[in-house]
Structures are given as structure tokens and as C-alpha cells.
Amino acid sequence: MIFITAKFRVRTEDADRWPQIAAEFTTATRAEPGCLWFDWSRSLDDPTEYVLVEAFRDDKAGAAHVRSAHFREAQRTLPPHLAETPRIVNTTVPGEDWSRLGEMAVPGGS
């Protein structure tokens, strides 16, 4: 799978509204057949920083994502709300789901 983590520093005046600002892009991306997950989190240390963790089944699914109409629309509509260019880590890893963190296993839990 293609595993991507990106950090978005949002303009202060838009930080609280970022989930709504990115909602259409998020919904459309999650509906892509090759999208495994597309999840936003807000930094505990910096309220203007959002972290996006996303995964796509394979290169074909990743390419379809960046060619999609909703991706092109996001390229137009999201940057005006950003304080800087997002930072990204993009890599290919085996599998199609999260692994368990054995070092913090919960007894009796799955």
C-alpha cells in the first residue's frame, strides 16, 4: 500500500473550521475505491497544525487519487486557508491494514 502522512499548517483564523473546509475533499477521497483510509488529526501542541494519515491500495489507486476532480478542486480551494506548504512523507509498505502494536498489547483485548 501507499502510506502517506502530511502536516498541514492552517491559517490561525481558519484552524477551528479546517474540518469543515476540508470536508468535501475528505468525503470524496474516502469514497475512492482504492482508498484504505483518510484520517485527520489535530496536533496537541499546535492548534494550527492538522496531520493527515492516508493510505491507498497501490500505485494505481494513488494515481487515480491525484488525477481525480476532487483532488484538483482541493488544489484550488485548500491553499488559501494554509499558512505554509504542507509537509509530507510518502512511502510504499506491505499490507492493506494497520498492524497491532505488540509492545502495548491490551490483555484480553484484540
Side-chain angles (χ1 to χ4, degrees), residues 18-46:
W18 182 253
Q20 292 78 31
I21 292 167
E24 286 184 30
F25 177 54
T26 299
T27 300
T29 301
R30 287 176 176 167
E32 293 175 24
C35 180
L36 300 175
W37 58 81
F38 194 85
D39 298 321
W40 293 98
S41 297
R42 194 171 191 178
S43 170
L44 296 176
D45 298 322
D46 179 353

Side-chain angles (χ1 to χ4, degrees), residues 56-106:
F56 296 90
R57 185 177 310 110
D58 52 28
D59 288 336
K60 183 177 173 182
H65 172 63
V66 298
R67 287 193 314 261
S68 69
H70 56 271
F71 188 89
R72 286 192 307 276
E73 178 70 4
Q75 286 179 298
R76 184 183 69 74
T77 61
L78 297 184
H81 301 282
L82 300 175
E84 64 183 40
T85 301
R87 295 164 290 147
I88 188 170
V89 174
N90 181 333
T91 191
T92 302
V93 297
E96 288 192 0
D97 203 355
W98 291 90
S99 299
R100 298 286 179 188
L101 180 58
E103 295 83 357
M104 293 192 186
V106 176

Side-chain angles (χ1 to χ4, degrees), residues 44-58:
L44 296 176
D45 298 322
D46 179 353
T48 68
E49 183 177 81
Y50 284 83
V51 178
L52 175 61
V53 179
E54 55 187 303
F56 296 90
R57 185 177 310 110
D58 52 28

